[in-house]
Amino acid sequence: MDHLEPLGLDTPLDAVVFAPTSIVAIEATETKKTAFEQLASEAVTRSGIRFDTLIVHADRCIVQANTVVIPVTTHDGAVVTKDVRGTSVPRQTPLLTGTRHLIVKHVDLNATSVPFRDETHRNRTRKSFACECAMYRERTNAPGANGGDSGNWATPFVYLTEGDWEADQFTVVMDDVGRPRPGAVSKAREDAAVHEAANLLEKEMTTIFPNDDLHEKNVAVVSLGEVSQEILTKSTMNQTTSVMMTNTATNLQNEASKEFGVSGEKPAGAGDESNTQRLPGTCGFPRAVAAVQWLASFHAHWWRGLPDSPAVPADTWSRGGYWTLEKRAVDVNEAMDATWAGLLDAFENDPSPEFAAESKRVAQQLRKVCGDDFGKRLRLSAPALARTAQRSEWGTPHDENGGATLVHGDFKAANIVFRRKAKPGTVKPGSKPGEEYFEDDDDQGDETETDSTGGGNGAGAVGSPTVIDWQWTGPGCCAHDLAFFLTTSVSEFSLAKTDLVIEAYHQRLVNDLGCRGDAGRAAASAYSLGRLHRDLTVTYGDYARYLVGDVWRGVTPESLRKNHNRTNFGAHRRSIPHLLFCAEKGWRGLNECERGEPGDDPETDPDAPPPKRDADTPPLRRGPNAKLVAEILGVCVFLADTAGDIIRGVAESGQLGCVLDKSLPEGGEGDKNGKETKSVSKRQKNAPADPPIAAASDPQTQADRRAERLICETLRQRFGGVVSVFGEEQLEGGLVGSGAANRDGSVDAADNSLKMTEAALRLAEEFVKDWEILLPQELEVGPRREKELRDANGEKLGKHAACAESDVTVWVDPLDGTREFVEGPEFWHGVTVLIGIAVRGVPVAGVIHQPFVRVDGKPPQTMLDVLQTRADAKAALAAEGWRPRPKTKNPESPDLETFPAGSFGTGRTLWGAPGIGVISHPGRDLTRGTPVPKPTRADVKNLVVCTTRSHQTPFVDGAVYNLHPHSVIRTGGAGGKTCLLLDGKADVWVFPAQGTKRWDTCACEALLSANRGGWLVRATNGGAYKYGSQTAKTPKNADGLLAASDKELYPWMVTKWPWLNEAGGERLGPRDPGLEKE
């Protein structure tokens, strides 16, 4: 190389990454260096690396939207340095010396030429780079003998990490683990030509600029190579794809030319990869095995639930991966149907005569395996598929040992780096000795089937990789990374050997977990190879949802051929075998789920008598009652979120409407015209027309009435033929018909705009799938009886005729904690909406919506800010002698009792059923649901008890303190206390007195039971309450209650309260067959 012009600020490269007015661009102009050289030299200096020369490898620079990756080499031969007086002194640590190959990665979110779609997109991009920096900080340690990339799972050694979740710029300086270690190539050349190699660096340095700003006058910053046209392409959209630290396709071809000649064809005798050309950018079998073994060690290190499990680093995602539903919810729409149909049509009608026949065979195979409606099925099952994949983390109902770990989130070949080696190439005429040595980049040799241990010429020969780009790391199931790698990053030869690759992964995972003591060995034993295959099957189905929803839009045979060499594209976008593999695996995953989640069959009792030959055995999943419960539950989740909107709207206005005291005899009851009935007592007639709210022991507001009308009327209209719906306000006589006048003559808002349309109802009914519900078989209907009921009631009851004898009931408390609601926002954390579903008197599903908390269970900051402002204003008025009046239905002062719109956010919704567990999502954002973790074991020596705030009695307090609790939480509302149990903030709920009713506890018991066997029992004998339709006549929970989320706590409670065993024998809670007592 004779001379290279430096990169200028007027080139497209600089325009993409650095705005002309940016600090980097200005400083580069002043110092006569390119923007790349300026950025790289300053970053390396800040990292503490001293250098005499810094070489910028311009031909290997990579630009992606707002990200630039700059490979550099630093060299420093000095062993002494000079102080300010010019005296030579020995070099001091921590300055690092020698030759180093480095990567400087810089991200600038303020690049003016790279617009974001919206603020949400910008924040998500910031979060991804903050996550990457967090993981690099986690792994930063001094480089060892292997250059910093040693260990069971390796990341590049990082010298500098700048940026967090609040930053707009991020800079990382790390080892360039893709290149040979410093001196490897030079050593090879020295062996061939010692004298020529000694002067090689000097001969290749070009465009040398003095760097007056750096340590000494003789420091130089240079650029090697030309910038490829691919790098110079402008970015018009901000894309958060991973950054490749390998050569571009053009450079790969150049490297091939160096090895095999100008054409890039292999000479005779070169490895033919089993007569199959390997797809560029994918891992051959040895590398695939080495990669998954690295992955297994990484997953084992972060395995959750072990005593020595490390804490998840801050700034990582709450759920790892970039294609999970909560991040890709926008893809789930009717366009998925068209995408799949378009894919089939494109292969059916390939215009290329050369490939038309092959494409038509592919279309036939896709249609035969997946069918024409695969896109629609994925769309309708998307939420359920995502939840099933999430449940892989914490286990199925019959196998609680899931694969929960920390996932990389983008584990693909472009992010898996194997060190290149110095290899001899073809000796050209006239070449100097040693020049034939070069850095081998992507020659993986022959692909051969080796054992899963990596012996022979397989994985053991390629060495352990290093993994980069941690932008999507977070908790998840180990199958997430493994499934993504197998579908995007392995060669066709390896694709046919996926079972061997999976076995290699599992063997390493078991070995590494087994080194973690007894708990690790138990986890390794529990997470069997069969369980791993089960989780992979479900994950394939969830990944197919993402492919059809986004990635395969516009994929055609022509696009596959065009993108064949684009190494940062997933293999399923470049290769027909990979596309077929993804489609077939995705179809199989969806099919397995629709037949009932794989691996959830309970173990049979060897001592149980064999079933009768003519027994009408109900199905484990997808029975008639499960279908009905799934549809009701889906609609109830939507209705609870809408009811929360009503409650928040009333709270913001400060106008509670007509306030009734239901504790008064016949209190507030009116006829259909809104007039008082003749049974009004003397006490009521003498009561003020608008009593202070604080005087009402069982108040009712317009929020109670409006929320109940919305919920109950919708459910009755949709399921009234087979479902009995009971609402608190109606059963207690405090609800007039829609549009009728209340006691004071006021009329509640109709809320017609909030009612669900037919299309919304159909969507809600599909939100929960029947294959997710795992009802006890004694609550289901056998196939023979199902046929009889359908024949008898089919015309009258339609598709749910088989549920006619199942006594399905829904219990609704539209605003649990009304007393707290009217007493003020200080108590609103206990306000909830409760909807419980029971079959044959047993609670099986429930919904709890908390209108005034975030998804983490804490009040929104906006609400706290308004409360603080109001408290300051009231304190100032009180100092002037102002005293508040008793509260009434309307605000005394809008400034002191109303809230700005949106102060409360959207709340939080908890819902669940057996088989699903309990899901938590932000209100109105159903795609961001996450499973509530299984409860931790209660520490009986440090027990946290929650109990009533407003119904304290000596008897209740005596029961509480009989448990010798560490602390007691007094709060209102049954739903609020249940949320404390589910969140792990309390261990047991104690209330052995009258006060609650069935609508208070139906949803609570259902969710506690769904969350790994929690329980709610009668405080008198440990029996279970019934929730059948006959119970509506006497809905009080007259025996009080005890409840906990930890099923193992019940035997200890029996030692404290022996009478809990009166319900029947030694047991671990309610619902054991034959042990309930009404």
Side-chain angles (χ1 to χ4, degrees), residues 109 126 162-170:
L109 301 185
R126 178 186 290 111
E162 296 177 336
D164 56 26
W165 67 275
E166 294 181 335
D168 285 336
Q169 293 188 355
F170 305 84

Side-chain angles (χ1 to χ4, degrees), residues 155 205 227 375 510 576 586 635 641 675 793 797 809 816 820 888 1003:
T155 60
M205 285 168 42
V227 181
V510 169
I576 288 178
V635 173
D641 284 351
K675 299 179 180 179
N793 305 299
L797 300 180
T809 56
D816 181 48
E820 283 68 30
T888 61

Side-chain angles (χ1 to χ4, degrees), residues 334-351 359 362-363 366-367 371-376 547-548 551-560 579:
E334 293 185 355
M336 293 178 68
D337 306 19
T339 297
W340 180 251
L343 185 69
L344 295 177
D345 183 69
F347 279 93
E348 190 73 36
N349 303 288
D350 188 351
S359 297
V362 172
L366 288 172
R367 188 171 277 112
D372 293 318
D373 61 344
F374 187 47
K376 179 180 180 181
L547 293 179
V548 177
V551 177
W552 284 349
R553 292 178 184 176
V555 169
T556 63
E558 177 61 27
S559 72
L560 263 65
L579 186 146

Side-chain angles (χ1 to χ4, degrees), residues 6 57 67 147 153 219 261 281 332 339 487 594 603 640 699 734 798-799 807-808 879 894 901 908 1009:
H57 302 278
T67 304
W153 62 277
V219 174
V332 181
T339 297
T487 53
E594 288 181 341
E603 294 183 2
K799 62 179 180 179
D807 191 18
V808 180
R908 172 176 77 156
S1009 178

Side-chain angles (χ1 to χ4, degrees), residues 687-708:
D690 189 13
I693 296 175
S697 62
D698 191 8
Q700 179 203 77
T701 69
Q702 65 160 318
D704 297 76
R705 297 187 292 271
R706 291 167 57 188
E708 178 163 319

Side-chain angles (χ1 to χ4, degrees), residues 374 377-378 381 385 541 586-594 771:
F374 187 47
R377 291 172 60 201
L378 286 171
S381 300
L385 270 174
W587 172 85
R588 187 179 300 278
L590 177 59
N591 249 31
E592 289 290 334
C593 288
E594 288 181 341
W771 43 265

Side-chain angles (χ1 to χ4, degrees), residues 510 520-528:
V510 169
R521 286 188 287 273
S525 175
Y527 200 72
S528 63

Side-chain angles (χ1 to χ4, degrees), residues 824-942:
E826 294 81 2
F827 308 102
W828 285 355
H829 59 273
V831 173
T832 57
V833 178
L834 301 176
I835 309 175
I837 305 169
V839 176
R840 295 175 181 164
V842 179
V844 295
V847 184
I848 300 178
H849 177 75
Q850 295 179 281
F852 302 107
V853 302
R854 301 178 306 194
V855 71
D856 60 359
K858 299 179 180 179
Q861 187 60 44
T862 51
M863 175 180 170
L864 297 177
D865 293 341
V866 174
L867 285 176
Q868 184 61 47
T869 302
R870 283 173 45 174
D872 296 341
K874 288 183 178 181
L877 291 173
E880 300 175 2
W882 171 84
R883 295 291 182 270
R885 295 176 301 174
K887 293 181 180 179
T888 61
K889 65 182 180 182
N890 295 321
E892 175 183 354
S893 168
D895 294 334
L896 299 180
E897 297 187 22
T898 62
F899 286 82
S903 297
F904 309 121
T906 58
R908 172 176 77 156
T909 303
L910 298 165
W911 62 275
I916 296 178
V918 180
I919 305 294
S920 171
H921 72 254
R924 293 291 188 186
D925 195 353
L926 282 70
T927 59
R928 289 178 57 195
T930 56
V932 173
K934 63 182 179 181
T936 57
R937 291 294 303 272
D939 182 0
V940 296
K941 295 183 179 180
N942 295 281

